[in-house]
Amino acid sequence: EETGKIRELTEWTVRKVLQDKRRLIAAGHEISVAINISGRLLADPKFGQRILEIVGFGATGLIFEITETAMMSNPDRAMHNLDRWVDAGCKIAIDDYGTGFSSLAYLKRLPCHELKLDKTFISGAQTSSKDRTLIKSTVDLAHNLGMTLTAEGVEDEVVLAALKAMGCDHAQGYVISRATNCDELLRYLGSLEAEDIGGST
C-alpha cells in the first residue's frame, strides 16, 4: 500500500489463486480460497471492474476478505463493488471482526457470507469466561444472520476443541498449518486423505 503497488499486487494474487485453484481441482480438492482486499481498493470502481474481468462470472470457491474499517471511507462505492463480486459468484468475509467501530451497522448492509473473529478473542477461549461469552455470542450472531464463523489465530488443540464446542464453523492458525505454497498444500491435503483412508481400514 505504501508503495502504491497494492492494485497490481492484488490483481496478480487473484490470477495466481485462480491458477492454484485449477491445480487443486485437478487433484480432487474442491476447496475455497480467500484473498485479502485492501481498503484502498475496495471503493475503486476500476479495480472492481478489473477483478470481474479476471475472475469472470460463475466464479466458485473464491472468498474476498475485507475489514470493517475498509468500508468507512466510501461505503456506497465499496458496496457497489461487493454486490458486483457477489453477483459474479464470489463470497465475502469480514476479516478481523470485532476490532472495528461499526460492526453491527455494516453487518445488516454487507452481502457477507462469513465472519472471521479476530485472534484477540480466541486465545482466551479456554481460560476467560468473558472471551467465551463473546465468542459464543458472535457464533450465534453469525449463524442467525446466515453466515459462518471462522476463528483466527488458533494455536493449540485445547482452544480448537473449545471453539468446536461453541459451534465455531472453521478455524485458521498454526494449530492447523503455517502459511504454505500450493505445492506444500497439495502434499498436506494428500496426507490428510491418506490418514482418512488409513483410519477407515
Side-chain angles (χ1 to χ4, degrees), residues 111-183:
C112 287
H113 307 85
E114 176 185 3
L115 290 184
K116 301 190 72 176
L117 187 60
D118 189 75
K119 62 183 179 182
T120 54
F121 302 97
I122 302 305
S123 59
Q126 183 65 19
T127 58
S128 168
S129 60
K130 288 185 177 180
D131 281 353
R132 285 196 298 274
T133 299
L134 288 170
I135 293 168
K136 186 64 173 72
S137 298
T138 308
V139 168
D140 292 342
L141 174 66
H143 290 171
N144 288 333
L145 291 174
M147 292 184 274
T148 59
L149 194 286
T150 298
E152 297 182 305
V154 183
E155 298 187 355
D156 63 68
E157 294 285 353
V158 174
V159 170
L160 183 61
L163 291 167
K164 286 181 180 179
M166 285 184 274
C168 184
D169 300 291
H170 308 289
Q172 83 178 46
Y174 290 165
V175 69
I176 299 165
S177 174
R178 293 181 178 268
T180 184
N181 59 39
C182 190
D183 289 335

Side-chain angles (χ1 to χ4, degrees), residues 7-78:
R7 177 171 173 172
E8 290 89 339
L9 176 60
T10 304
E11 291 178 5
W12 177 89
T13 302
V14 173
R15 288 193 295 269
K16 183 71 168 81
V17 163
L18 292 174
Q19 177 185 341
D20 288 345
K21 271 186 61 61
R22 286 192 289 270
R23 291 184 62 194
L24 290 164
I25 290 171
H29 304 295
E30 290 274 358
I31 62 174
S32 297
V33 181
I35 304 165
N36 292 97
I37 303 296
S38 166
R40 296 192 182 187
L41 299 174
L42 193 56
D44 182 344
K46 290 182 179 179
F47 173 77
Q49 178 60 34
R50 182 62 184 137
I51 290 301
L52 289 177
E53 292 169 359
I54 295 172
V55 170
F57 282 84
T60 59
L62 279 182
I63 303 169
F64 291 143
E65 294 188 9
I66 64 169
T67 61
E68 301 163 78
T69 53
M71 294 292 300
M72 297 177 71
S73 61
N74 196 323
D76 291 334
R77 284 169 60 177

